[in-house]
Amino acid sequence: MGIQITPSILNADLAALGAEVGRIPSADWVHVDVMDNHFVPNLTLGLPVIESLKAHTDLPIDAHLMIEDPDRWAPAYAEAGCGSVTFHVEAAKAPVRLAREIRNQGARASMGLKPATPIEPYEDLLGELDMLLIMTVEPGFGGQKFLDLCLPKIRRARAMMDRHGVQTWLQIDGGISLDTIERCVEAGADVFVAGSAVYSASDPDAMVADLRARAESATP
């Protein structure tokens, strides 16, 4: 598995999501941020919008659930056809059970960590996950500045994955741009969420290609 670029539609024109997703045909996934105004201080899209969006794109949907009680709600996103569903470990009551339930619904199970959440307590969970998401901004709003302080955690996560021999993807979300993506690749990440960098560009798909090229040039 090589570098994957996953544009976030949080910074797209939400009134024309079908057309906006059509502007990124070379993306690997469409990243959809689901926020409930409880776990994070913002309110965004939910399950009905994702179900509607699926009719307008062949790209797989990467649902990032920044919500309370993901144990209750996350399986429904997998059942609705999302290719990957990320829950936050800070909100999950039974992360192993939830990851297995997401997988049983046919989606890839992913666990997200806020910037201040350490990876070490969850080392034994890596084998239960298809992807680990490390946030490099505080979740809730797009357009924030990348937090370099998260780079050591990315390195530690990659070292753990290598030590256990797991095939878990390592996704980074927050402040990803042409200026920051190389640092994340060098730290061990391979899946990148980019929102404002993609949708503020005059040609979003060209930016997807530029991000991929920049990341691949930094791959060991």
Side-chain angles (χ1 to χ4, degrees):
M1 194 281 299
I3 296 295
Q4 298 187 67
I5 306 297
T6 307
S8 168
I9 59 173
L10 183 63
N11 297 94
D13 180 356
L14 300 182
L17 282 183
E20 289 287 77
V21 171
R23 299 173 71 198
I24 52 168
S26 69
D28 297 289
W29 298 77
V30 177
H31 188 86
V32 180
D33 294 297
V34 178
M35 308 183 197
D36 63 0
N37 202 32
H38 294 284
F39 182 71
V40 293
N42 198 0
L43 184 65
T44 59
L45 312 174
L47 191 58
V49 174
I50 287 180
E51 291 173 335
S52 177
L53 183 61
K54 277 185 59 61
H56 294 277
T57 182
D58 293 327
L59 292 174
I61 292 178
D62 173 27
H64 180 190
L65 308 184
M66 289 170 273
I67 62 174
E68 291 184 349
D69 201 7
D71 302 76
R72 176 184 180 187
W73 298 110
Y77 286 83
E79 188 176 1
C82 292
S84 177
V85 179
T86 299
F87 61 89
H88 267 267
V89 71
E90 300 91 349
K93 298 180 180 66
V96 172
R97 182 176 63 196
L98 179 54
R100 291 180 178 181
E101 190 168 356
I102 290 170
R103 281 176 159 179
N104 287 340
Q105 292 290 349
R108 296 179 62 86
S110 172
M111 186 175 77
L113 278 68
K114 291 182 178 182
T117 303
I119 178 61
E120 285 75 11
Y122 307 106
E123 181 172 357
D124 292 341
L125 274 64
L126 292 175
E128 299 286 340
L129 303 171
D130 297 297
M131 185 167 72
L132 178 71
L133 165 61
I134 293 180
M135 295 293 299
T136 46
V137 299
E138 290 295 339
F141 295 92
Q144 298 183 63
K145 185 179 179 181
F146 180 85
L147 295 173
D148 284 276
L149 60 85
C150 296
L151 288 169
K153 181 163 69 172
I154 298 171
R155 295 189 187 97
R156 294 195 302 272
R158 174 52 64 192
M160 289 178 186
M161 292 173 179
D162 292 345
R163 186 162 59 247
H164 289 276
V166 297
Q167 300 300 311
T168 310
W169 297 350
L170 182 50
Q171 184 181 64
I172 308 303
D173 182 0
I176 294 299
S177 68
L178 293 174
D179 294 328
T180 61
I181 196 167
E182 289 175 294
R183 278 174 270 168
C184 296
V185 172
E186 290 163 357
D190 46 26
V191 184
F192 301 94
V193 178
S196 57
V198 170
Y199 278 105
S200 65
S202 58
D203 185 340
D205 203 50
M207 178 55 70
V208 170
D210 289 345
L211 288 166
R212 191 188 308 280
R214 186 69 61 90
E216 289 176 347
S217 71
T219 302

